[in-house]
Amino acid sequence: MAMSPTSASRIVASLLDEELIKEVHLSQGEEVGRKATYFVPNEHAVFSVGVEIDIGIIRVGLMNLVGDLFVDHSFKTETDEIEKVVEFIERTVSNLILEANISSDRVIGVCVGLPGLIDNELGIVELSAQFNWKQVSLQQMIADKLPYNIYIDNELKLKALAEYVSTSLSYENVVMIGFGNGVGSALITNGEIYRGKDNVSGEIGHMTLDPYGVHCTCGNFGCLQTYIAVDFLLDEASRTRPIKNMDELVESYKQGDRLAVNIIEKAATYAAIAINNVVCAYNPDAVFLSGCLIEDYPEIRALVIEKHLNSTSFPEARSFELQVTQLKGNGVVQGAALSVQRKFIKNLYFKDGA
Amino acid sequence: MAMSPTSASRIVASLLDEELIKEVHLSQGEEVGRKATYFVPNEHAVFSVGVEIDIGIIRVGLMNLVGDLFVDHSFKTETDEIEKVVEFIERTVSNLILEANISSDRVIGVCVGLPGLIDNELGIVELSAQFNWKQVSLQQMIADKLPYNIYIDNELKLKALAEYVSTSLSYENVVMIGFGNGVGSALITNGEIYRGKDNVSGEIGHMTLDPYGVHCTCGNFGCLQTYIAVDFLLDEASRTRPIKNMDELVESYKQGDRLAVNIIEKAATYAAIAINNVVCAYNPDAVFLSGCLIEDYPEIRALVIEKHLNSTSFPEARSFELQVTQLKGNGVVQGAALSVQRKFIKNLYFKDGA
């Protein structure tokens, strides 16, 4: 929407006042007359912290106002007990800020991303199957330990936001699909995370394909994730001989083991179905594939793309770009830190009443 | 967003100027002091026209600025030939405006809703399986005949907009599902139709359930609509004995005919799956059921709701309201007329640069 010059001046003055932007004077060669004044973000004005927690691991990062994640660490964790995880978050975030030598009043907030059904408004983990947490007030538990604004959110939604920002915001509707211990998706539309009523949109892993299919952890039968998610693949594979993990299954696949080939082929077929179904629902400009099955196993990634290309898809839905995530392991941390900045900037803007 | 008093006054002045709103003075009993001035829409200022075309029928309606569809007709049509349909639209819309005795410069536009993949920006019918139209420049063909702003759009998206407006705009995310000759859905979020890249979001009828399932008209196998849509049900039913139409099938169902009961039970099971899958994708506040299978056959409607209630659904997704559309037969016409008004008002607002 257009903004009046008065509003614009008022906002610029207030941003200068808070040292969030700085003036730059560019002298343009021999030109005569008044020099133009530009305003650029003051990258050291404020900082946001992104945290990712997952089974056995915690990642933290510090982002400046121009979007650089300039410190970034990951640590193994030994327990998924909620109190211990919260202590670990407290310690790693405090150390991060100490290490970067930043005054704590410059830290605008900390966002923690994790897998599961996360009520981002109430700050509650409704259900995280991975951690086996139910109805945990994670935001409050962290806020009791750390003197910052604390937020929590679903990891895939944050990662999709990071992907959207890192691809130069060039798509209007972007979907990220995660294939891993579960199957999920996240839509960014109009530059914002599409959340739905309870922040549980995109739970495509629980779309029913077959009402008489395999029993899912959610209580339903034949959910999409029963055909693809890691635990279900290992369960199936282990019926004839013990298979410990995906590495072992993929190794057997590479050696042409019939059982492993059948299981991985079937999973890839259903991953291509997941892509089709997401496209039917959201009609996106681009779909980004992510998750350990895609990111850690090039063989599976190639097979999923091949199955997708060979499917006779709904014609109009063809016109989207299929890409593999370009984010490194810190995608969730990036998205978490970005989401804090976006809240901060939105609040500034509204505060000003423009 | 907050608006400055200056911007507000400027907008009010321009609306008064164009006679889109009028002043009302309310005298409040014995109160002393300046009387308050209210502004209300001038309902006769401008009018929009909604049109629905479907196989064998055309519906038209005229809406005033307070959202009343105050004239509303439907006519049988004898052909689906594109030129004849355009002529029919021209004739019925012209008659409608004559009948209402409105000066044509008060008509802000005409929107035509129809089933299929409709590029609303380019005004092209990409594909309408019902009409057997492909790549038809419908908007231009109508604009060549009628001296108004012409728009075209997907009927279900328009109907969802009408439902959203008629339920007092009280939901943030509303999905309408249509069960009829196809299966589709439409999402209204943040008060707007969610369109996706090509206005073909919500094509849930082409979500794949079974890669080795029944062949669909789109070229794929095992699409959701192959389990539910009218033509597929009649095809299946006719394998053992000829069945002409849904009325006949439902009549057999009511008489307890084993074949009819099995087919309708299966369709209702998959309609409940469609509801679940839509909820997984969009996490809406409310789902409205519509389409001929729901609106014309109370027995099927009841069975679909029963199957939904008996399914062990993904727990968090339970918290939505399931409703049957409250719109009468003119839902698409209402939505079409509303969509013209929304474009008109948005243009006014932007024109003012506020």
Side-chain angles (χ1 to χ4, degrees), chain A residues 225-237:
Chain A
Q225 72 173 24
T226 66
Y227 298 83
I228 320 174
V230 169
D231 281 353
F232 288 93
L233 299 186
L234 295 180
D235 263 12
E236 279 203 311

Side-chain angles (χ1 to χ4, degrees), chain A residues 1-4 7 10 117 126-127 135 173 185 187 189 194-204 206-212 218-221 227 269-270 273 276-286 311-317 319-320 349-350 353-354, chain B residues 1-4 7 10 117 126-127 135 173 185 187 189 194-204 206-212 218-221 227 269-270 273 276-286 311-317 319-320 349-350 353-354:
Chain A
M1 191 181 314
M3 188 185 284
S4 70
S7 297
R10 201 175 53 225
L117 309 178
E126 292 291 346
L127 178 71
Q135 289 281 336
N173 304 289
S185 74
L187 169 69
T189 180
Y194 174 78
R195 299 187 176 280
K197 175 169 172 284
D198 313 299
N199 201 33
V200 300
S201 62
E203 287 289 343
I204 60 165
H206 297 287
M207 283 184 172
T208 303
L209 298 196
D210 178 1
Y212 300 104
C218 73
N220 245 332
F221 292 87
Y227 298 83
T269 298
Y270 279 88
I273 286 176
N276 175 71
N277 292 4
V278 152
V279 168
C280 286
Y282 302 118
N283 183 211
D285 299 76
S311 70
T312 54
S313 196
F314 186 50
E316 271 58 27
S319 65
F320 64 96
Y349 190 68
F350 276 111
Chain B
M1 191 180 313
M3 188 185 285
S4 71
S7 296
R10 201 175 53 225
L117 309 177
E126 292 291 347
L127 178 71
Q135 288 281 336
N173 304 289
S185 73
L187 169 70
T189 180
Y194 173 78
R195 299 187 176 279
K197 175 170 171 286
D198 313 299
N199 201 33
V200 300
S201 62
E203 285 289 343
I204 60 165
H206 297 288
M207 283 185 172
T208 304
L209 298 195
D210 178 1
Y212 300 104
C218 73
N220 245 331
F221 292 87
Y227 298 83
T269 297
Y270 280 88
I273 287 177
N276 175 72
N277 292 5
V278 152
V279 168
C280 286
Y282 302 118
N283 183 209
D285 299 76
S311 70
T312 54
S313 196
F314 185 49
E316 271 58 26
S319 64
F320 65 95
Y349 190 65
F350 277 110

Side-chain angles (χ1 to χ4, degrees), chain B residues 173-237:
Chain B
N173 304 289
V174 180
V175 178
M176 174 167 276
I177 310 182
F179 295 105
N181 294 314
V183 176
S185 73
L187 169 70
I188 308 290
T189 180
N190 265 325
E192 302 281 346
I193 297 169
Y194 173 78
R195 299 187 176 279
K197 175 170 171 286
D198 313 299
N199 201 33
V200 300
S201 62
E203 285 289 343
I204 60 165
H206 297 288
M207 283 185 172
T208 304
L209 298 195
D210 178 1
Y212 300 104
V214 172
H215 195 214
C216 181
T217 48
C218 73
N220 245 331
F221 292 87
C223 292
L224 178 59
Q225 73 173 23
T226 67
Y227 298 83
I228 319 173
V230 169
D231 281 354
F232 288 94
L233 301 185
L234 295 179
D235 263 12
E236 279 204 310

Side-chain angles (χ1 to χ4, degrees), chain A residues 248-315:
Chain A
E248 200 179 316
L249 184 62
V250 173
E251 194 47 47
S252 300
Y253 169 82
K254 290 200 287 197
Q255 288 166 14
D257 175 82
R258 209 59 239 156
L259 169 79
V261 168
N262 285 346
I263 285 180
I264 302 254
E265 287 262 352
K266 182 177 144 193
T269 298
Y270 279 88
I273 286 176
I275 297 170
N276 175 71
N277 292 4
V278 152
V279 168
C280 286
Y282 302 118
N283 183 211
D285 299 76
V287 173
F288 286 86
L289 305 181
S290 72
C292 68
L293 288 178
I294 298 292
E295 294 177 65
D296 299 348
Y297 303 104
E299 301 78 13
I300 298 183
R301 178 167 68 229
L303 198 60
V304 170
I305 293 172
E306 184 196 317
K307 297 278 184 193
H308 162 70
L309 292 174
N310 288 342
S311 70
T312 54
S313 196
F314 186 50

Side-chain angles (χ1 to χ4, degrees), chain A residues 27-204:
Chain A
S27 58
Q28 306 229 337
E30 308 282 308
E31 269 179 52
V32 183
R34 234 171 89 185
K35 273 185 199 157
T37 302
Y38 294 85
F39 297 98
V40 297
N42 175 8
E43 65 267 39
H44 303 302
V46 294
F47 301 88
S48 64
V49 177
V51 179
E52 175 185 13
I53 54 176
D54 208 336
I55 301 303
I57 196 159
I58 179 169
R59 291 193 182 86
V60 291
L62 196 62
M63 187 177 271
N64 64 18
L65 201 52
V66 294
D68 285 334
L69 201 66
F70 66 102
V71 201
D72 178 12
H73 295 301
S74 71
F75 305 96
K76 293 212 162 131
T77 53
E78 272 160 29
T79 166
D80 304 322
E81 204 190 305
I82 175 78
E83 286 79 10
K84 292 277 159 60
V85 171
V86 170
E87 276 171 26
F88 218 92
I89 293 173
E90 178 198 3
R91 203 159 60 242
T92 48
V93 170
S94 301
N95 287 342
L96 184 77
I97 292 166
L98 272 177
E99 177 191 356
N101 199 17
I102 285 166
S103 134
S104 54
D105 60 359
R106 296 243 160 208
V107 176
I108 54 178
V110 178
C111 177
V112 178
L114 72 165
L117 309 178
I118 315 297
D119 187 327
N120 65 311
E121 289 187 355
L122 295 180
I124 290 171
V125 179
E126 292 291 346
L127 178 71
S128 181
Q130 275 88 333
F131 285 104
N132 201 15
W133 294 349
K134 247 186 192 174
Q135 289 281 336
V136 170
S137 303
L138 183 62
Q139 181 181 1
Q140 188 56 54
M141 291 177 76
I142 303 172
D144 288 344
K145 302 264 186 181
L146 282 172
Y148 307 113
N149 297 317
I150 307 293
Y151 310 98
I152 68 173
D153 209 339
N154 170 274
E155 38 129 44
L156 195 64
K157 289 191 167 65
L158 296 173
K159 197 169 170 181
L161 177 66
E163 191 84 60
Y164 168 72
V165 171
S166 79
T167 52
S168 327
L169 323 171
S170 52
Y171 301 108
E172 201 168 328
N173 304 289
V174 180
V175 178
M176 175 167 275
I177 310 182
F179 295 105
N181 294 314
V183 176
S185 74
L187 169 69
I188 308 290
T189 180
N190 265 326
E192 302 282 345
I193 297 168
Y194 174 78
R195 299 187 176 280
K197 175 169 172 284
D198 313 299
N199 201 33
V200 300
S201 62
E203 287 289 343
I204 60 165

